[in-house]
Amino acid sequence: VVIYNTLVYGFPATSGLSLLLGCAVVGFFLGLDMALARERKIITDTMAENKALPPPSRLYSITRKFSLVALTTIIFVAMVLGLVISRDVVWLSNIKESNTSLLQAQLSVMREVFFVMGVLLAAIINLIFSYSKNLKLLFQNETGVLEKVTRGDLSKRVPVATHDEFGVIAGHTNTMIDGLQHRMQLITALKLAEEVQQNLLPGKPPVIPGLDVAGISNYCDETGGDLYDFLEVDDRNAGRIGIAVGDVSGYGIPAALLMATARAFLKSRVTQPGSPVEIISDVNRLITNDSGDTGQFMTLFYAVFDTGNKELQWVRAGHDPAIFYDPAKDEFKELDGYGMALGLDGKFKYRENMLAGLTMGQILLIGTDGLWETKSQPGEMLGKDRIKTLVKNMQMHLRIRSLTLLFQ
């Protein structure tokens, strides 16, 4: 149009530049408004479809877009005002010098400048309101999902609708929700594993005349590697019982799995003929073959009580020695013995130990390191000396008249 008017009608080139500038300004603001409307529709559609996309690979920063729009707006406003003012200056220079003419010219220039500024201000305000609508949708998009997450609902994802910081935040929020969902599934699995492992422990101690038995196991995590069990040995009679107390290296699910495996091997083996040494040797071989490559191992204190013969046989496979208290002599004795932890050497030869002449009122405490390594608030360990004092005081206050076995 500019070229046509210039060539055919002889319009001056400055008028063509004014037309181009006017079209560029109008096109700039209309284009921004249409782009924001298009973005708003994309955000709305994405929210309705609940699309969970990864964070945008190419980032168009909000600050960069703001800077570009602000700079372009300033340039266009400056050019328009400069064009208007320069034309008015030329026009004013040609007006006859009279008070009436000058006043009319001033009013005309003011009206023209205010009109141009009003149009530009209206266009800018329209862009501000349009972009505010988009920001409101993006904030609702993000906060709505986060509110559901705080209530425990992890089914929704934040739709990734833009390629700016909001899209990055939405993508990382989705990654966080996926991680939380995975952790919730893991916690559920751990709770189930905890229930299964607690069911592996004895529900109640056996009832044997002349023998008081008690046991408890408290894990600091959902699952652990501590084990205690009462076992029916192959040649079991009314006064004979097998006791096993063990501790697997490490914590959590791996330790619990090895504990369950060792328990299954032990319960299966004690039903067959064999001495305590033979039983523990076979269990050690099975555990070494099954999990020797993992580097995990298990300490075990295995004892067989014969209340008829007043005897105690035990095998110590790297476990902490049991504490034996004789109130008649008022002395403690640690039931130690030569032995290696299970799962390290499948060919290791264990040794059997025996304590005869058991009498009523004696106390045997078999525990794991979690018992005497329990710390107070300042960080001081309980220690075996305090354990022995507790055992002695219990015997004195309760006036125990039977052989008592305690486990942790």
Side-chain angles (χ1 to χ4, degrees):
V1 171
V2 171
I3 294 175
Y4 179 80
N5 288 338
T6 302
L7 295 178
V8 176
Y9 297 105
F11 280 19
T14 54
S15 65
L17 294 176
S18 301
L19 180 61
L20 286 176
L21 179 61
C23 290
V25 173
V26 173
F28 172 72
F29 286 107
L30 286 178
L32 282 180
D33 186 65
M34 293 173 64
L36 290 173
R38 175 62 179 169
E39 184 184 65
R40 191 157 52 249
K41 185 177 185 305
I42 292 175
I43 295 172
T44 305
D45 294 343
T46 308
M47 292 174 62
E49 297 174 1
N50 193 30
K51 291 182 179 179
L53 302 176
S57 57
R58 188 174 181 181
L59 178 65
Y60 297 92
S61 174
I62 294 178
T63 56
R64 186 172 61 184
K65 290 190 290 187
F66 273 157
S67 301
L68 181 61
V69 171
L71 179 62
T72 307
T73 302
I74 291 173
I75 292 175
F76 277 145
V77 171
M79 292 177 65
V80 170
L81 290 179
L83 186 62
V84 171
I85 292 174
S86 63
R87 189 187 63 178
D88 289 340
V89 169
V90 174
W91 177 59
L92 287 174
S93 63
N94 296 327
I95 295 178
K96 295 180 180 180
E97 295 185 359
S98 66
N99 293 334
T100 304
S101 299
L102 289 175
L103 180 61
Q104 291 177 349
Q106 290 175 358
L107 292 175
S108 177
V109 171
M110 290 179 62
R111 284 195 298 267
E112 186 178 19
V113 171
F114 280 127
F115 174 77
V116 172
M117 292 298 297
V119 171
L120 293 176
L121 185 61
I124 294 173
I125 292 175
N126 176 66
L127 288 181
I128 292 174
F129 277 107
S130 183
Y131 191 67
S132 298
K133 293 179 182 179
N134 291 17
L135 288 179
K136 183 179 180 180
L137 285 175
L138 290 171
F139 279 119
Q140 290 177 345
N141 184 18
E142 182 77 23
T143 58
V145 174
L146 290 178
E147 287 175 358
K148 292 182 181 294
V149 171
T150 58
R151 294 193 296 267
D153 183 5
L154 303 180
S155 60
K156 297 295 184 180
R157 298 294 183 273
V158 183
V160 180
T162 60
H163 289 268
D164 52 21
E165 285 82 354
F166 283 102
V168 174
I169 294 173
H172 289 302
T173 302
N174 293 336
T175 303
M176 179 195 70
I177 295 175
D178 291 337
L180 288 175
Q181 195 170 42
H182 177 70
R183 289 181 64 85
M184 291 297 295
Q185 294 172 351
L186 181 60
I187 291 174
T188 302
L190 286 175
K191 289 295 183 183
L192 179 59
E194 180 183 10
E195 293 179 6
V196 172
Q197 188 174 30
Q198 289 296 329
N199 291 331
L200 295 179
L201 299 176
K204 58 182 180 179
V207 178
I208 298 178
L211 198 64
D212 287 339
V213 184
I216 187 172
S217 180
N218 292 324
Y219 298 118
C220 58
D221 297 323
E222 286 80 0
T223 57
D226 287 357
L227 160 71
Y228 79 93
D229 206 351
F230 313 114
L231 306 168
E232 296 183 1
V233 295
D234 177 60
D235 56 344
R236 186 173 186 267
N237 53 49
R240 190 172 173 84
I241 182 176
I243 300 292
V245 178
D247 186 8
V248 179
S249 62
Y251 302 93
I253 294 293
L257 291 175
L258 181 55
M259 184 274 276
T261 301
R263 175 182 178 273
F265 288 153
L266 185 60
K267 290 184 75 70
S268 175
R269 180 60 184 86
V270 296
T271 59
Q272 304 172 17
S275 64
V277 168
E278 294 173 335
I279 291 174
I280 298 304
S281 297
D282 290 341
V283 171
N284 176 50
R285 186 182 69 257
L286 293 172
I287 293 177
T288 304
N289 293 337
D290 191 60
S291 58
D293 295 336
T294 64
Q296 283 187 295
F297 58 90
M298 175 182 182
T299 64
L300 183 71
F301 191 97
Y302 176 68
V304 177
F305 295 88
D306 189 341
T307 57
N309 297 324
K310 308 298 183 183
E311 291 180 349
L312 170 66
Q313 295 174 304
W314 77 88
V315 176
R316 178 174 169 261
H319 199 77
D320 283 307
I323 298 175
F324 181 79
Y325 175 61
D326 188 352
K329 300 179 181 178
D330 191 22
E331 65 179 15
F332 285 89
K333 179 181 180 181
E334 289 194 350
L335 304 186
D336 53 11
Y338 178 75
M340 180 185 291
L342 306 178
L344 298 176
D345 183 2
K347 298 179 180 180
F348 184 80
K349 302 298 181 181
Y350 291 91
R351 297 178 185 177
E352 187 173 302
N353 307 277
M354 178 178 290
L355 181 64
L358 300 177
T359 60
M360 295 298 179
Q362 295 173 331
I363 297 177
L364 178 65
L365 174 63
I366 310 174
T368 62
D369 54 5
L371 180 58
W372 32 81
E373 290 182 2
T374 300
K375 293 183 179 180
S376 63
Q377 195 67 27
E380 184 181 3
M381 287 189 181
L382 180 62
K384 288 190 177 182
D385 290 337
R386 289 192 178 96
I387 292 291
K388 292 177 180 179
T389 301
L390 290 173
V391 171
K392 183 177 180 179
N393 292 338
M394 181 184 66
Q395 203 282 336
M396 293 175 59
H397 293 158
L398 298 181
R399 299 179 182 274
I400 295 174
R401 293 295 180 263
S402 60
L403 182 62
T404 302
L405 312 179
L406 302 175
F407 306 95
Q408 182 267 348

